[in-house]
Amino acid sequence: MGEEVGGTREGIFNSGILNIRIDGASDNETKSESGVPEVPVPADDTPEVLNKALSGLSSRWKNWWVRGILTPAMISFFFIIIYLGPMVLMMIVLCIQIKCFHEIITIGYSVYHSYHLPWFRTLSWYFLLCVNYFFYGETVTDYFFTLVQREEPLRILSKYHRFISFALYLTGFCMFVLSLVKKHYRLQFYMFGWTHVTLLIVVTQSHLIIHNLFEGMIWFIVPISCVICNDIMAYMFGFFFGRTPLIKLSPKKTWEGFIGGFFATIVFGILLSYVMSGYRFFVCPVEFNNDSNSFTVDCKPSELFQLQDYGLPPVLQSITVKLYPFQIHSIALSAFASIMGPFGGFFASGFKRAFKIKDFANTIPGHGGIMDRFDCQYLMATFVNVYIASFIRGPNPSKVIQQLLALRPDQQLHIFNSLKAHLTEKGLLPLLEEAA
């Protein structure tokens, strides 16, 4: 998404030899330029029917029409996934995570493979498995607590989950040490760092996306939609009105696209939040129903999703407007998507420039790889998770009760007596007894 913040996409980078040299490496750890592997240049992935229909246009307008045709198709696919429910959304997030990891690791592998060093690709995917096992195991233990306690195998795995995760990672760590080859130590540690930074960027962020989803689908859909809106509107404003370069890292991005995308995204976020706040399907936390063994999104909406009157400034004191409090929060989400979100794209642009490639892959015609579409989304996911934890989330009574039920009877009795004494001291218990 960082390729279209303001203006047309950057021109195709030189697609010849990928020049990579590790600073300070010895002569044995580097190769001559002729020996450095080439980054595969993806073929033109535009469907043949579009190539024929747009053959008479310049590359600039051809790219415009390809995007204009395929973008609505991707948005429609996004709506279908939302309709299918939270479980499908989680599976799609996992698939996107794996694909993004594959695209980044492939770039490293094209370099690493030329040295004929063992196990890089195997270890990269092994570490991905370990990290996913850890994060998804934590999620299952947290959100499927009753189910885990009900099934003995799951209960054992949950109890020793972190120890098992550490043992799995330690196994991969030892495999890496055993794979070290003399004269190539520095390169191998370089690629070890490459894998772990990729895991930090991709896997950790996708885990946060799923946590946001459990807070309510609105916390998943609105931030993602704001980034998509900003991407589209910044591209359009930049395409038609772009004149002033925004950043040297990406000369084709313009201030006109950046500012136009900002205001369009703010308006879009407020309107989308107003529509979605009226539906329980979007605003209720995603919870697991133990009776039906399925996810449910039914609840009494919190005050955050109930219309309230808001007075305007003193000049317009007689006028009041009805808004959902979430719409106020959506302004913060939209502002971040418009101002800070593009820096995820700038980061990706710098990465691609460093390795002289245009896109991470050619998965989506006219758009590049999956990572090209989600470079801003991962940064947004972290912000939303931090925002919820800082300003929205409070104690969850249902989770507290689940944890209490897992205690021994004597522990439960001790907590009951402590709570009873506390309520009596506060003067609440007699009132509760009278009400009963």
Side-chain angles (χ1 to χ4, degrees), residues 68-112:
I69 293 171
L70 294 179
T71 297
M74 290 189 293
I75 294 175
S76 300
F77 178 67
F78 180 58
F79 284 135
I80 293 173
I81 295 172
I82 293 173
Y83 174 77
L84 294 176
M87 191 63 185
V88 176
L89 280 172
M90 293 177 200
M91 296 304 299
I92 292 295
V93 170
L94 178 60
C95 292
I96 290 174
Q97 174 217 112
I98 294 174
K99 179 57 179 172
C100 289
F101 182 84
H102 170 261
E103 292 177 357
I104 299 177
I105 288 298
T106 298
I107 298 173
Y109 181 74
S110 65
V111 179
Y112 189 86

Coordinates of all heavy atoms in Angstrom, one line a residue, residues 68-112:
G68 N -8.2 0.2 -11.5 CA -9.6 0.5 -11.4 C -10.5 -0.7 -11.6 O -11.6 -0.7 -11.0
I69 N -10.1 -1.7 -12.3 CA -10.9 -2.9 -12.6 C -10.7 -3.9 -11.4 O -11.7 -4.5 -10.9 CB -10.5 -3.5 -13.9 CG1 -11.0 -2.5 -15.0 CG2 -11.2 -4.9 -14.1 CD1 -10.5 -3.0 -16.4
L70 N -9.5 -4.1 -11.0 CA -9.2 -5.2 -10.0 C -9.5 -4.7 -8.6 O -9.8 -5.6 -7.7 CB -7.8 -5.6 -10.2 CG -7.4 -6.3 -11.5 CD1 -6.0 -6.7 -11.5 CD2 -8.3 -7.5 -11.7
T71 N -9.4 -3.4 -8.3 CA -9.6 -3.0 -6.9 C -11.0 -3.3 -6.5 O -11.2 -3.8 -5.3 CB -9.3 -1.5 -6.8 OG1 -7.9 -1.3 -7.0 CG2 -9.6 -1.0 -5.4
P72 N -12.1 -3.0 -7.2 CA -13.4 -3.3 -6.8 C -13.6 -4.8 -6.6 O -14.4 -5.3 -5.7 CB -14.3 -2.8 -8.0 CG -13.5 -1.7 -8.6 CD -12.1 -2.1 -8.5
A73 N -12.9 -5.6 -7.4 CA -13.0 -7.1 -7.3 C -12.4 -7.5 -5.9 O -13.0 -8.4 -5.2 CB -12.3 -7.8 -8.4
M74 N -11.3 -6.9 -5.5 CA -10.7 -7.3 -4.2 C -11.6 -6.8 -3.1 O -11.7 -7.5 -2.1 CB -9.3 -6.7 -4.1 CG -8.3 -7.3 -5.0 SD -6.6 -6.8 -4.7 CE -6.7 -5.1 -5.2
I75 N -12.2 -5.6 -3.2 CA -13.1 -5.1 -2.2 C -14.3 -6.0 -2.0 O -14.8 -6.3 -0.9 CB -13.5 -3.6 -2.5 CG1 -12.3 -2.7 -2.4 CG2 -14.6 -3.2 -1.5 CD1 -12.5 -1.3 -2.8
S76 N -14.8 -6.5 -3.2 CA -16.0 -7.4 -3.1 C -15.6 -8.7 -2.4 O -16.4 -9.2 -1.6 CB -16.5 -7.7 -4.5 OG -16.9 -6.5 -5.2
F77 N -14.4 -9.2 -2.7 CA -14.0 -10.4 -2.0 C -13.9 -10.1 -0.5 O -14.2 -11.0 0.3 CB -12.6 -10.8 -2.6 CG -12.0 -12.0 -1.9 CD1 -12.6 -13.2 -2.1 CD2 -10.8 -11.9 -1.2 CE1 -12.0 -14.4 -1.5 CE2 -10.3 -13.0 -0.6 CZ -10.9 -14.2 -0.7
F78 N -13.4 -8.9 -0.1 CA -13.3 -8.6 1.3 C -14.7 -8.6 2.0 O -14.9 -9.1 3.1 CB -12.7 -7.2 1.4 CG -12.5 -6.7 2.8 CD1 -11.8 -7.4 3.8 CD2 -13.1 -5.5 3.2 CE1 -11.6 -7.0 5.1 CE2 -13.0 -5.0 4.5 CZ -12.2 -5.8 5.4
F79 N -15.7 -8.1 1.3 CA -17.1 -8.1 1.8 C -17.6 -9.5 2.0 O -18.3 -9.9 2.9 CB -18.0 -7.3 0.9 CG -17.9 -5.8 1.1 CD1 -17.8 -5.0 0.0 CD2 -17.8 -5.2 2.3 CE1 -17.7 -3.6 0.1 CE2 -17.6 -3.9 2.5 CZ -17.6 -3.1 1.3
I80 N -17.3 -10.4 1.0 CA -17.7 -11.8 1.1 C -17.1 -12.5 2.3 O -17.8 -13.2 3.1 CB -17.3 -12.5 -0.2 CG1 -18.1 -12.0 -1.4 CG2 -17.6 -14.0 0.0 CD1 -17.7 -12.6 -2.7
I81 N -15.8 -12.2 2.6 CA -15.2 -12.8 3.7 C -15.8 -12.3 5.0 O -16.0 -13.1 6.0 CB -13.7 -12.4 3.7 CG1 -13.0 -13.1 2.5 CG2 -13.0 -12.9 5.0 CD1 -11.5 -12.6 2.3
I82 N -16.1 -11.0 5.1 CA -16.8 -10.5 6.3 C -18.1 -11.2 6.5 O -18.5 -11.6 7.6 CB -17.0 -9.0 6.2 CG1 -15.7 -8.3 6.2 CG2 -17.9 -8.4 7.3 CD1 -15.8 -6.8 5.9
Y83 N -18.9 -11.4 5.4 CA -20.2 -12.1 5.5 C -20.1 -13.5 6.1 O -20.9 -14.0 6.8 CB -20.8 -12.1 4.1 CG -22.1 -12.8 4.1 CD1 -23.3 -12.3 4.6 CD2 -22.2 -14.1 3.6 CE1 -24.5 -13.0 4.6 CE2 -23.4 -14.8 3.5 CZ -24.5 -14.3 4.0 OH -25.7 -15.0 4.0
L84 N -19.0 -14.2 5.8 CA -18.8 -15.5 6.2 C -18.5 -15.7 7.7 O -18.5 -16.8 8.2 CB -17.7 -16.2 5.3 CG -18.0 -16.4 3.9 CD1 -16.8 -16.9 3.1 CD2 -19.2 -17.3 3.7
G85 N -18.1 -14.6 8.3 CA -18.0 -14.6 9.8 C -16.6 -14.6 10.3 O -15.6 -14.7 9.5
P86 N -16.4 -14.5 11.6 CA -15.1 -14.3 12.2 C -14.1 -15.5 12.0 O -12.9 -15.3 11.9 CB -15.4 -14.1 13.7 CG -16.8 -14.7 13.9 CD -17.5 -14.5 12.6
M87 N -14.6 -16.7 12.0 CA -13.7 -17.9 11.8 C -13.0 -17.8 10.5 O -11.8 -18.1 10.4 CB -14.5 -19.2 12.0 CG -13.6 -20.4 12.1 SD -12.6 -20.3 13.6 CE -11.6 -21.8 13.4
V88 N -13.8 -17.5 9.4 CA -13.2 -17.4 8.1 C -12.2 -16.2 8.1 O -11.1 -16.3 7.4 CB -14.3 -17.2 7.0 CG1 -13.7 -17.0 5.7 CG2 -15.2 -18.4 7.0
L89 N -12.5 -15.1 8.7 CA -11.6 -14.0 8.8 C -10.3 -14.4 9.4 O -9.2 -14.0 8.9 CB -12.2 -12.8 9.6 CG -13.3 -12.0 8.8 CD1 -13.9 -11.0 9.8 CD2 -12.6 -11.2 7.7
M90 N -10.3 -15.2 10.5 CA -9.1 -15.6 11.2 C -8.3 -16.5 10.2 O -7.0 -16.4 10.2 CB -9.4 -16.3 12.4 CG -10.1 -15.5 13.5 SD -10.5 -16.5 15.0 CE -11.7 -15.4 15.7
M91 N -8.9 -17.4 9.5 CA -8.2 -18.2 8.6 C -7.6 -17.4 7.4 O -6.4 -17.7 7.0 CB -9.1 -19.3 8.0 CG -9.7 -20.2 9.0 SD -8.4 -21.1 10.0 CE -7.6 -22.0 8.7
I92 N -8.3 -16.4 7.0 CA -7.7 -15.6 5.9 C -6.5 -14.8 6.4 O -5.5 -14.6 5.7 CB -8.8 -14.6 5.4 CG1 -9.9 -15.4 4.6 CG2 -8.2 -13.5 4.5 CD1 -9.4 -16.0 3.4
V93 N -6.6 -14.3 7.7 CA -5.4 -13.6 8.3 C -4.2 -14.5 8.3 O -3.1 -14.1 8.0 CB -5.8 -13.1 9.7 CG1 -4.6 -12.5 10.4 CG2 -6.8 -11.9 9.6
L94 N -4.5 -15.8 8.7 CA -3.3 -16.7 8.8 C -2.8 -17.0 7.4 O -1.5 -17.0 7.2 CB -3.8 -18.0 9.4 CG -2.8 -19.2 9.5 CD1 -1.6 -18.8 10.4 CD2 -3.5 -20.4 10.1
C95 N -3.6 -17.1 6.4 CA -3.1 -17.4 5.0 C -2.3 -16.2 4.5 O -1.3 -16.3 3.9 CB -4.3 -17.7 4.1 SG -5.2 -19.2 4.4
I96 N -2.8 -15.0 4.8 CA -2.1 -13.8 4.4 C -0.8 -13.7 5.1 O 0.3 -13.3 4.5 CB -3.0 -12.5 4.6 CG1 -4.2 -12.5 3.7 CG2 -2.1 -11.2 4.5 CD1 -5.2 -11.4 4.0
Q97 N -0.7 -14.0 6.4 CA 0.5 -14.0 7.1 C 1.5 -14.9 6.5 O 2.7 -14.6 6.3 CB 0.3 -14.4 8.5 CG 1.5 -14.6 9.4 CD 1.4 -15.8 10.4 OE1 2.1 -16.8 10.2 NE2 0.5 -15.6 11.3
I98 N 1.1 -16.1 6.1 CA 2.0 -17.1 5.5 C 2.6 -16.6 4.2 O 3.7 -16.8 3.9 CB 1.3 -18.5 5.4 CG1 1.0 -19.0 6.8 CG2 2.2 -19.5 4.6 CD1 0.2 -20.3 6.8
K99 N 1.7 -16.1 3.4 CA 2.1 -15.6 2.1 C 3.0 -14.4 2.2 O 4.0 -14.3 1.4 CB 0.8 -15.2 1.3 CG 1.1 -14.6 -0.1 CD 1.9 -15.6 -1.0 CE 2.1 -15.1 -2.4 NZ 3.1 -15.9 -3.1
C100 N 2.8 -13.5 3.1 CA 3.7 -12.3 3.3 C 5.1 -12.8 3.7 O 6.1 -12.4 3.3 CB 3.1 -11.4 4.3 SG 1.7 -10.4 3.7
F101 N 5.1 -13.8 4.7 CA 6.3 -14.4 5.1 C 7.1 -15.0 4.0 O 8.3 -14.9 3.8 CB 6.0 -15.4 6.2 CG 7.3 -16.0 6.8 CD1 8.0 -15.4 7.8 CD2 7.7 -17.3 6.3 CE1 9.1 -16.0 8.4 CE2 8.9 -17.9 6.9 CZ 9.6 -17.2 7.9
H102 N 6.4 -15.7 3.1 CA 7.0 -16.4 2.0 C 7.6 -15.4 1.0 O 8.7 -15.6 0.5 CB 5.9 -17.2 1.2 CG 6.4 -17.8 -0.1 ND1 6.0 -17.1 -1.3 CD2 7.1 -18.8 -0.4 CE1 6.6 -17.8 -2.3 NE2 7.2 -18.9 -1.8
E103 N 6.9 -14.3 0.8 CA 7.4 -13.3 -0.2 C 8.7 -12.7 0.3 O 9.7 -12.4 -0.4 CB 6.4 -12.2 -0.4 CG 5.2 -12.7 -1.2 CD 4.1 -11.7 -1.4 OE1 4.3 -10.5 -0.9 OE2 3.1 -11.9 -2.0
I104 N 8.8 -12.4 1.7 CA 10.0 -11.7 2.2 C 11.2 -12.7 2.3 O 12.3 -12.4 1.9 CB 9.7 -11.1 3.6 CG1 8.6 -10.0 3.5 CG2 11.0 -10.5 4.2 CD1 8.2 -9.4 4.8
I105 N 10.9 -13.9 2.7 CA 11.9 -15.0 2.9 C 12.5 -15.3 1.5 O 13.7 -15.6 1.3 CB 11.4 -16.2 3.6 CG1 11.2 -15.9 5.1 CG2 12.3 -17.4 3.4 CD1 12.4 -15.5 5.8
T106 N 11.6 -15.3 0.5 CA 12.1 -15.7 -0.9 C 13.2 -14.7 -1.4 O 14.1 -15.2 -2.0 CB 10.9 -15.7 -1.9 OG1 9.9 -16.7 -1.5 CG2 11.4 -16.0 -3.3
I107 N 13.0 -13.5 -1.0 CA 14.1 -12.5 -1.4 C 15.4 -12.9 -0.8 O 16.4 -12.9 -1.4 CB 13.6 -11.1 -1.0 CG1 12.4 -10.7 -1.8 CG2 14.8 -10.1 -1.3 CD1 11.8 -9.3 -1.3
G108 N 15.3 -13.2 0.5 CA 16.6 -13.6 1.2 C 17.1 -14.9 0.7 O 18.3 -15.1 0.5
Y109 N 16.2 -15.8 0.4 CA 16.6 -17.1 -0.1 C 17.4 -17.0 -1.5 O 18.3 -17.8 -1.7 CB 15.4 -18.1 -0.3 CG 15.8 -19.5 -0.7 CD1 16.4 -20.3 0.1 CD2 15.5 -19.9 -2.0 CE1 16.8 -21.6 -0.3 CE2 15.9 -21.1 -2.5 CZ 16.5 -22.0 -1.6 OH 16.9 -23.3 -2.1
S110 N 16.9 -16.1 -2.3 CA 17.6 -15.9 -3.6 C 19.1 -15.6 -3.5 O 19.9 -15.8 -4.3 CB 16.9 -14.9 -4.5 OG 17.0 -13.6 -3.8
V111 N 19.4 -14.9 -2.3 CA 20.8 -14.6 -2.0 C 21.5 -15.7 -1.3 O 22.5 -16.2 -1.7 CB 20.8 -13.3 -1.1 CG1 22.3 -13.0 -0.8 CG2 20.1 -12.2 -1.8
Y112 N 20.8 -16.3 -0.3 CA 21.4 -17.3 0.5 C 21.7 -18.6 -0.3 O 22.7 -19.3 0.0 CB 20.4 -17.6 1.7 CG 21.0 -18.4 2.8 CD1 21.7 -17.9 3.8 CD2 20.7 -19.8 2.8 CE1 22.2 -18.7 4.8 CE2 21.2 -20.6 3.8 CZ 22.0 -20.0 4.8 OH 22.4 -20.8 5.9

